[in-house]
Amino acid sequence: MVKLASIDCGGKLLPLGTPQIMGVLNLTPDSFSDGGRFIDASGHVDIERALFVSEAMVEEGASIIDIGGESTRPGAEEVSDQAQIDRVATVIDRLASRLDTVISVDTSSPELMVESARLGAGMINDIRSLAKPGALEAAANSGLAVCMMHMQGQPENMQDQPAYVDIVQEVLGFFEQRILDFTDRGIDKNKIFIDPGFGFGKKLEHNVELLRGLERFKSFGLPLLVGISRKAMVGQLTGRPVQERVHGSVAAALLAIQSGANIVRVHDVAATRDMIKMHLAIAGELD
Ligand code: 8Y7
């Protein structure tokens, strides 16, 4: 298998020779798996706690921390740009200066993209794939790496009636077009990650088909990011509530890595790190 080199993420190098872990830091009151964990009694982000947990995730093996200030769970309402900035800016600033870890900002807001780049973030993770007016320009000007994710519909309605004829083919087609849109606007092709967007406008059968066909997404020669951690898919297949989905999530991450995923976006970093060590040993790639 052809190995990808490292990618420059805002001046920090993300190695891609082995699978990397993106740890999730949701600074939201309402994310489905861990909402409210960092919100104090007055409704503000508990910055010290967010920094502490981020550093713990790095110690456990995360090389990217994905910071979000807007819940994108099915049916979630959009949050204003300023409210998102208020939630995440200080944490991005303090983490970027304190850690070698790549800081990713989970946002669709061009304003927050610009502000995050200024504060030292290295990557934009936009579930809307830079669809908001001004987002392509903001991302291109930032020079940051960008994760392009597939979603059918919008978070408000995406789980109402997802429908595909051939999901893998349709998601591949989306990337083909969107890579052109990104590069036409001046985003460096070598800084694009692709992500099929598990659970975003997808029913269980669609998510299963995507995971089965995951290898086909390697055809672009771009790093592949996969997020299945604690999602409904894991709940449906194991019968477990959200706080009991670690084992199913780690299994899903291993299946994704065995099909070529370069980055797994997860809540349970330590468990995922153990799995990757096992994978590397058996695949003969342990350093
Ligand atoms: C994903 C994501 C979420 C994902 C990427 C959750 C922000 C829902 N899922 N970003 N974000 N890929 N790139 O369950 O799968 O964490 S939010």
Side-chain angles (χ1 to χ4, degrees):
M1 193 169 58
V2 182
K3 286 250 170 137
L4 295 164
S6 49
I7 291 195
D8 180 326
C9 297
K12 291 175 182 169
L13 278 189
L14 181 71
L16 290 171
T18 54
Q20 300 296 308
I21 300 174
M22 172 187 264
V24 177
L25 189 74
N26 276 325
L27 304 182
T28 54
D30 56 347
S31 287
F32 90 97
S33 61
D34 57 357
R37 214 179 140 202
F38 300 104
I39 305 295
D40 66 20
S42 61
H44 294 106
V45 170
D46 182 340
I47 289 167
E48 295 308 321
R49 184 165 157 75
L51 296 175
F52 179 83
V53 169
S54 302
E55 288 183 357
M57 286 198 285
V58 171
E59 270 166 39
E60 289 168 356
S63 50
I64 309 171
I65 302 290
D66 187 39
I67 304 180
E70 177 188 25
S71 172
T72 42
R73 75 183 199 289
E77 302 250 331
E78 283 190 36
V79 177
S80 79
D81 285 1
Q82 194 54 51
Q84 275 192 64
I85 293 174
D86 291 346
R87 282 181 191 160
V88 305
T90 309
V91 177
I92 291 175
D93 187 19
R94 303 244 324 248
L95 280 179
S97 55
R98 206 187 304 192
L99 301 176
D100 286 335
T101 316
V102 173
I103 307 303
S104 160
V105 59
D106 159 16
T107 190
S108 302
S109 152
E111 226 181 305
L112 182 50
M113 291 172 194
V114 171
E115 182 65 2
S116 302
R118 193 181 71 75
L119 295 171
M123 178 170 175
I124 295 165
N125 178 30
D126 180 6
I127 59 142
R128 295 178 183 82
S129 282
L130 307 181
K132 287 208 171 166
L136 281 166
E137 291 75 6
N141 291 337
S142 75
L144 300 187
V146 185
C147 179
M148 166 190 293
M149 198 196 78
H150 176 271
M151 169 166 61
Q152 187 180 85
Q154 295 298 318
E156 304 80 77
N157 60 21
M158 66 186 181
Q159 292 307 104
D160 292 355
Q161 269 182 354
Y164 301 85
V165 176
D166 176 344
I167 184 164
V168 173
Q169 204 55 46
E170 286 173 57
V171 177
L172 283 168
F174 165 81
F175 288 135
E176 204 172 315
Q177 180 57 51
R178 205 64 189 142
I179 290 167
L180 291 176
D181 297 341
F182 275 32
T183 51
D184 280 354
R185 293 299 185 95
I187 294 172
D188 182 350
K189 189 170 179 199
N190 295 315
K191 291 192 176 181
I192 301 174
F193 296 75
I194 61 171
D195 180 343
F198 284 88
F200 285 87
K202 283 135 194 142
K203 296 194 232 180
L204 177 59
E205 70 208 66
H206 301 134
N207 291 317
V208 167
E209 267 184 76
L210 268 185
L211 190 48
R212 277 195 190 128
L214 198 68
E215 269 171 34
R216 294 174 62 195
F217 294 99
K218 298 302 287 173
S219 60
F220 298 101
L222 296 176
L224 180 60
L225 194 156
V226 166
I228 305 182
S229 181
R230 299 188 189 173
K231 283 187 179 170
M233 172 186 190
V234 179
Q236 287 158 332
L237 295 173
T238 60
R240 302 276 184 194
V242 73
Q243 66 279 9
E244 293 174 15
R245 293 180 188 164
V246 183
H247 307 88
S249 298
V250 171
L254 173 56
L255 292 165
I257 285 171
Q258 287 186 322
S259 295
N262 301 95
I263 300 167
V264 285
R265 181 181 179 278
V266 305
H267 301 83
D268 304 288
V269 174
T272 305
R273 181 68 216 154
D274 284 357
M275 171 276 281
I276 291 175
K277 282 187 176 161
M278 296 298 295
H279 163 76
L280 290 175
I282 305 310
E285 297 174 22
L286 206 57
D287 20 83

